[in-house]
Amino acid sequence: MFRRSFHRFCAAEEKRVGTRTVILGNHPVSATETYIAPRFCDNRIVSSKYTLWNFLPKNLFEQFRRIANFYFLIIFLVQVTVDTPTSPVTSGLPLFFVITVTAIKQGYEDWLRHRADNEVNKSTVYVIENAERVKKESEKIKVGDVVEVQADETFPCDLILLSSCTRDGICHVTTASLDGESNYKTHYAVHDTNALCSAESIDNLRAAIECEQPQPDLYKFVGRISIYNNSFEPVARSLGPENLLLKGATLKNTKKIYGVAVYTGMETKMALNYQGKSQKRSAVEKSINAFLIVYLLILLTKAAVCTGLKYLWQSNPHNDEPWYNQKTQKERDTFKVLKIFTDFLSFMVLFNFIIPVSMYVTVEMQKFLGSFFISWDKDFYDEDINEGALVNTSDLNEELGQVDYVFTDKTGTLTENSMEFIECCIDGYKYKGVTQETDGLSQTDGPVTYLEKADKNREELFLRALCLCHTVEIKINDTVDGATESADLTYVSSSPDEIALVKGAKKYGFTFLGIRNGHMKVENQRKEIEEYELLHTLSFDSVRRRMSVIVKTPAGDILLFCKGADSAVFPRVQNHEVAPIKVHVEQNAVDGYRTLCIAFKEITPDDYERIDRQLIEAKMALQDREEKMDKVFDDIETNMNLIGATAVEDKLQDQAAETIEALHAAGLKVWVLTGDKMETAKSTCYACRLFQTSTEILELTTKTVEDGERKEDRLHELLIEYRKKLLHEFPKNSRSLKKAWTEHQEYGLIIDGSTLSLILNSTQDSGSNSYKSIFLQICMKCTAVLCCRMAPLQKAQIVRMVKNLKGSPITLSIGDGANDVSMILESHVGIGIKGKEGRQAARNSDYSVPKFKHLKKLLLAHGHLYYMRIAHLVQYFFYKNLCFILPQFLYQFFCGFSQQPLYDAAYLTMYNICFTSLPILAYSLLEQHINIDTLTSDPRLYMKISGNAMLQLGPFLYWTLLAAYEGTVFFFGTYFISQTSSLEDNGKVIGNWTFGTIVFTVLVFTVTLKLALDTRFWTWINHFVIWGSLAFYMFFSFFWGGIIWPFLRQQRMYFVFAHMLSSVSTWLAIILLIFISLFPEILLILLKNVKRRSARSPTFELPTLLSYKHVDSGDS
Amino acid sequence: MTWSATTPGAHQPDNTAFTQQRLPAWQPLLSAGITLPLFFCVGLAFIGLGLGLFYSSNGIKELDYDYTGDAGTGNCSLCALADQDRAPPRNCSCAWYFSLPELFQGPVYLYYELTNFYQNNRRYGVSRDDSQLSGLPSSLRHPVNECAPYQYSAAGRPIAPCGAIANSLFNDSFTLWHQRPAGGPYVEVPLDRTGIAWWTDYHVKFHNPPLVNGSLALAFRGTAQPPNWPQPVYKLSSDPNNTGFINQDFVVWMRTAALPTFRKLYARIRQGNYSTGLPRGAYRVNITYNYPVRAFGGHKRIIFTSISWMGGKNPFLGIAYLVVGSLCILTGFVMLVVYIRYQDQNDEDEDEE
């Protein structure tokens, strides 16, 4: 949607590649060049779809693009043009109703968007023009304008920070509204412009910014500013994401800043990021479409059969045109082919109600309203973050009840992601930390608790490294005055590990006091303040899996500290140092701790000069900056000395183990996908009972694979071996695999990223396919799979692989971090956890919950109920319309195939929108065929609906046959009953409308009572709508027949209903027919109950199901 | 659709029974303890009703005669021969003789039945103008297009009543004669031709156009009679309350039948000696044979029937009730057996109501 408007508003659209040049303040840079201002789009945010003018045509066009609406439009047009049995009103009115309701809803939503847009677009901003501060509306900002932003204001567009009016050119920003991270981020101004702190000086600045075309990635920006500073050669400075202030972020802790607009309006990163997500379609919707096709075929067949029979029947001339019913001359002259065609269309129109317009409305309403129950559920409310569940899409509610595979992230999802420093090891000596933080301070004088002690210098070096090698910031608390500042330092960082480490160092006497003017201050054990000049930060990324800082000690030495995952650090240090530390690292990993290795390196001034140059060069690069930086980093982080390792515990989330167990019991396969290392992940998996102690673990990791000479051969061997093992265990590839789990040996599989890529990207042409298929076979047989060392993209790859398995299982991904977004988007249902790693996952998800444990209720209770409700809704809709139309079809055999409708037009129109719509809607919102508590406590119930069980061919046939049976009973019951002189005691005869009304009355009562029989959960709402609908039908019929309607051509229904009810026989007939229609259903329910009773075992009871029960005392 | 369900202000979800899906609810289940007695009760009730209906239906007498006049079926065949080629009907008369050995319990109703006549044909069914029939003068002059080809006469005058239904009004007439003493003269049995149409049709839906100078004929001036009619609509009867659009024969005919075989009420016999029924003796029905049915392969039939509280004779309803009732009881027994067997199998105590 955004992209479309983007195209619309930026007519002079450039390609996304290439660069753009922004002239500061739109002043010509030099007098000699004639400056042609390039056209950029204005700063208007347009998230709305429509304007007042194009709403009607555009909305209508979009609505009629839906196949169903288009179908009804066609039917309507046929009715208008061709002489058809029912007036256009009968299908036009419901269609109009549907279209209007949808249009109103969409219009309202769009109005809200307009309002929000206007709020943004009309907000006041200050722009520097001709050395003056000019007040403007936000939408008037042009690319190149210099904008002044005050503290706590939101940036109106993407700005390059020119000056923050502080000495160090720093400003703090929070991006809570962009990615949910509420910590302050520091942005830097270019040194050369930092001093410009007034409107005049800014206005005198002549500069041009060259930067890439707009990109949606929030964390990437490459640009260069050329400053024309009186001198002839412009000064060029590189610009990175740290110079870019994003629209939507808020300025904090800084009085005011000046910035130049580089991306405006729909080209800002925020706008680009809101591009519509790909539409996910649920399995139920696919079933609906399949049913629709079946019913469309039935419709076409019916129409074709009737047309054929009509002409067969009419081949007898006295049937075609008996003397009492002669045709007009025009009718006689019409071509026969045309007549056949019109007749076919007429039959289509007559039977078109078999595909109900209202089903789509009801399904949409059900989904929309039903999803509120998720966000309303107080069990999903988490007090820590003061939020409940959030529904981002309501299209997938029922998919929650159909999940086969659950892919979960580990950190932050299964675990708390609140890290605690547990222990460290320095030079191979283990230091078990003090666990209480309060004690830590008192122990600062002595050395840390130790078993054996390493060299004191090494200890201090290690702790300094912990204090320096990070990106933690101190949160400045305005209310706290300077005196107490040091007492309560609040650390803020994007990674909780770092905070844990810094806090850990503090426990041992080294306190990080913050960073000021590029100097990091550290208080050492002797309470002395050490200042280190921060020269470079080699930031962390998930590919390198390490980060480094280069600092200058007070003594003038230049040191590089590096911390990172063992696999990322070990190859880069002296070999002899690795062995003693490796033992500890592995032990820690087994205990379920996260380990990081710390290394350092001294850099000679000469080397530093070279490094510095390389780094700056790489940072200045406009093209391929990332790769260049990586290469430089790679060169720098070599030949380091390993000092030690840290162990940080990541606590398991509340009830994570119970949830995993419940999911297992529900027949779901849980896969853990994590970037963590194998040992850590494995221990977490044991802790959360993904693997039981009895589970046999199959490993496909670098370790096992590298035993062989050639990796691939060994891999092949292993795969074959495992497959054999599993096939032996499950000899039949039975569909009862889920049951088999409980009886057989359980298997778990562990695979790591590199092995996975080996399997997926195997070069062997013949072999690669078989590798993959063998691997998949193994996966499908394992109860639990752990994939460790996964890159984000690999996570998505795995999800896609499973998604495309035979039978296309439904996948669900749950995660909390930015690295889970790809898998959340890839899977059928994406669930985000509102965790500590920002809100990106939650923003991109379909549903977000505060904790992993909520998944249990979300799937087992909500998912189950939603699926059951919508499946019943769909089946019931097709059922009631087949019931409705079948008598009309049968009637054609008795009226000479003349398309005579059996029911009055009002009944045809109202049947779906009034008489039978609300009970099913209420049912589909409120029904609980099994109590929520039972559903949550007995996960096995989830299996009953797996594999789209309620919308398979079997149930569909059952409903269809039931409808066919009932339709036949309605028609022929009434037919036989009317085989008499009179139904009344005064001998008067009935006409065809009475006949149809009897059928219709039986129909309305039967389908409503059928729903009543299916309802297991009678709230007052159900009572109200079910009995209310029937009462409304009676009331309406009296009313409709009680008046001579002046606008009607024919008063067909005048007093028909009242007259019908004055006959005792009719009453008896109606009661009898309703009973006959419902009899098989009642019988079936009884049989089911008997079966359930017999199936009941002492251990497995459904306590609420077998008796009359009032859940609460107050029953309506 | 995308929207955020929780607005930033309201974080804590409401703790109400509705939002938490914990509304008080009645959770019935058709358990055997409830349904078995229900089955027996319903079964017995249905059998009772069925018996009542069956005997009522059996008590209803019907006497019918097919007077279409197929060759060799009586004296109406002569008339039928004449109608072979759809010549304009002439007044051909025939008669049906029958004798009653005992009293034909009344009140007796006289019906005629047509077969293979599609009054429910769509084109036929719409070929009428209800506002014309309600006596609206403007509609009298301008019948609706649906009436075509019976909308305007060849001379261009509006047809009143217009349309195919009116044009095909059944125009056979019957008189009933009773030979009171055996061998004696036939006495005409009075047929009540009123009160055969729906009260609302006769009183509300159908009206004659306002009289002009007190004359109905003048009110219809300028209109043409339907092509098949021998006389205009205002001459259907001499009774001013039964002529024109409110002629009861006409009103009955205008209520189109649901099925191609249909009966329509012709008269009630309820006057004089005949109010309790037709006494035993010989009878003759004089039939004026006008209506051509052989052209479309139809039949016509005349029926004397008595009417009970349940209407005319219809064994179906009674039998259906009996069958369903017995089925209920049978199922009840089967369920009982099944239930007891399972009860034995798992001898746990059940929480039966």
Side-chain angles (χ1 to χ4, degrees), chain A residues 376 891 982 987 1049 1065 1068 1089, chain B residues 20 30 111 146 258 310 312 321:
Chain A
W376 279 339
Y891 191 52
S982 171
R1049 282 252 184 87
S1065 290
L1068 291 175
N1089 289 348
Chain B
Q20 301 308 315
L30 295 168
Y111 289 88
E146 277 87 350
M310 61 168 285
Y321 262 104

Side-chain angles (χ1 to χ4, degrees), chain A residues 649-707:
Chain A
E649 190 191 12
D650 190 359
K651 272 193 286 184
L652 268 193
Q653 273 207 359
D654 192 24
Q655 292 177 31
E658 288 86 338
T659 308
I660 295 249
E661 271 193 329
L663 295 181
H664 258 182
L668 300 177
K669 297 176 194 176
V670 182
W671 292 34
V672 174
L673 310 182
T674 176
D676 230 332
K677 76 174 81 56
M678 191 190 112
E679 290 76 12
T680 321
K682 198 167 148 188
S683 61
T684 313
C685 287
Y686 274 111
C688 64
R689 282 179 249 169
L690 183 70
F691 296 148
Q692 316 277 348
T693 38
S694 60
T695 311
E696 193 178 332
I697 305 285
L698 312 175
E699 283 188 22
L700 276 176
T701 56
T702 335
K703 224 192 273 173
T704 52
V705 170
E706 270 173 356
D707 289 350

Side-chain angles (χ1 to χ4, degrees), chain A residues 90-261:
Chain A
T90 51
S91 70
L93 200 66
L95 183 67
F96 179 74
F97 174 74
V98 168
I99 298 284
T100 316
V101 167
T102 318
I104 288 174
K105 192 188 128 226
Q106 289 179 350
Y108 174 71
E109 282 172 355
D110 206 54
W111 178 73
L112 287 183
R113 282 193 288 262
H114 267 288
R115 219 176 47 168
D117 287 351
N118 265 344
E119 219 167 88
V120 175
N121 290 337
K122 302 287 182 206
S123 59
T124 333
V125 293
Y126 291 97
V127 174
I128 308 301
E129 257 173 22
N130 301 325
E132 269 173 55
R133 219 162 141 255
V134 182
K135 195 169 158 183
K136 270 194 175 180
E137 282 175 347
S138 164
E139 61 180 9
K140 301 265 167 64
I141 295 176
K142 297 188 297 294
V143 169
D145 280 351
V146 177
V147 181
E148 183 192 302
V149 181
Q150 311 266 358
D152 296 324
E153 281 183 356
T154 310
F155 301 116
C157 56
D158 289 354
L159 301 170
I160 291 291
L161 180 59
L162 289 177
S163 156
S164 65
C165 300
T166 58
R167 208 161 48 77
D168 46 9
I170 287 178
C171 77
H172 295 278
V173 158
T174 155
T175 53
S177 58
L178 281 173
D179 56 10
E181 293 172 28
S182 55
N183 58 324
Y184 292 175
K185 296 195 174 94
T186 315
H187 287 253
Y188 305 90
V190 183
H191 288 296
D192 310 65
T193 59
N194 187 31
L196 310 171
C197 206
S198 63
E200 298 85 56
S201 54
I202 284 282
D203 201 49
N204 288 332
L205 179 68
R206 292 290 175 271
I209 291 170
E210 219 180 310
C211 59
E212 57 186 358
Q213 290 297 341
Q215 300 270 347
D217 192 329
L218 289 180
Y219 308 106
K220 275 195 185 131
F221 175 75
V222 184
R224 181 167 54 200
I225 183 167
S226 310
I227 302 163
Y228 300 85
N229 230 353
N230 298 332
S231 56
F232 299 100
E233 267 309 293
V235 186
R237 292 277 179 266
S238 78
L239 297 172
E242 69 277 5
N243 305 110
L244 184 70
L245 305 171
L246 298 178
K247 178 184 177 83
T250 314
L251 185 65
K252 292 282 178 190
N253 274 345
T254 314
K255 256 201 197 105
K256 65 171 180 179
I257 59 114
Y258 291 102
V260 56

Side-chain angles (χ1 to χ4, degrees), chain A residues 324 376 378 869 891 894 898-899 928 977 981-982 987 989 992 1018 1049 1051 1065 1068 1083 1089 1096 1111 1114, chain B residues 13 15 20-21 24 26-27 30 111 118 120 122 130 146 198 205 256 258 263 310 312 314 321 331 350:
Chain A
Y324 58 82
W376 279 339
K378 72 172 167 31
R869 289 165 181 173
Y891 191 52
F894 296 90
S898 60
Q899 301 125 17
Q928 294 175 30
I977 278 155
S981 322
S982 171
V989 290
N992 61 329
W1018 286 83
R1049 282 252 184 87
Q1051 309 294 338
S1065 290
L1068 291 175
L1083 219 60
N1089 289 348
R1096 195 141 67 120
V1111 161
Chain B
N15 187 11
Q20 301 308 315
Q21 305 195 60
W26 174 53
Q27 295 179 295
L30 295 168
Y111 289 88
Y118 286 84
N120 57 9
R122 182 168 67 91
D130 277 357
E146 277 87 350
W198 288 21
K205 210 169 144 180
T256 52
R263 288 177 184 184
M310 61 168 285
N314 186 9
Y321 262 104
T331 326
E350 299 295 1

